[in-house]
Amino acid sequence: MSIRTARETDLPEILDIYNHAVVNTTATFDIEPRSPEGQQAWFLEHTPPHPAIVYENGGRVLGWASLSPYASRCAYRFAGEASVYVAPDARRSGIGEALLREIVRLGGEHGLHTVVGLVTAENAASRALAEKVGFLAVGTLEQVGYKFDRWLDVVIYQYRYGS
């Protein structure tokens, strides 16, 4: 098992993991599965300081994480937004924590000052993971998402490097 930089050949497995979350969970606010072309575009956007990484075991991608720009305006250039997704049959095995710790480490290595995580309030596992890795809950956006015929709140988490 290893964590490494995502490769183009990983995209089908990354897409499967992500689309499972789209269709079955509130971990993402996408409501339609992503296409292979959309996943390719996503991949091309993830170069340092906004990398994408995978957790691989036995030649299979079991999870992935990425840093995306937090916002497009120039003043936000030192902030990233973390995403972590784990294959359904590999959850609760430490993979999410390993990926989040590594993506945070890479963010600091690439000069980010802060990493933000947007977590659906009902997602207790992801909230606990963020806190375990050192993210602080800094606010809640109430009823900002609508999925599966209900309104969803989002908790904003922040990890700051240094002071």
Side-chain angles (χ1 to χ4, degrees), residues 18-30:
Y18 185 71
N19 281 343
H20 183 274
V22 169
V23 172
N24 296 289
T25 77
T26 58
T28 173
F29 280 9
D30 276 338

Side-chain angles (χ1 to χ4, degrees), residues 24-116:
N24 296 289
T25 77
T26 58
T28 173
F29 280 9
D30 276 338
I31 56 175
E32 296 292 330
R34 188 177 286 165
S35 69
E37 296 78 19
Q39 195 64 45
Q40 178 71 30
W42 170 90
F43 178 73
L44 294 174
E45 294 170 354
H46 284 85
T47 58
H50 303 106
I53 59 175
V54 298
Y55 185 103
E56 180 183 46
N57 188 11
R60 179 177 170 222
V61 172
L62 297 176
W64 62 271
S66 66
L67 284 174
S68 299
Y70 172 69
S72 62
R73 292 185 178 95
C74 188
Y76 290 116
R77 70 190 176 279
F78 297 108
E81 182 180 342
S83 296
V84 177
Y85 291 89
V86 177
D89 62 339
R91 292 184 186 143
R92 303 224 184 261
S93 62
I95 292 171
E97 180 180 349
L99 284 165
L100 185 55
R101 287 188 186 282
E102 180 62 8
I103 206 71
V104 165
R105 186 192 71 74
L106 289 170
E109 187 177 281
H110 292 302
L112 294 183
H113 179 69
T114 192
V115 174
V116 173

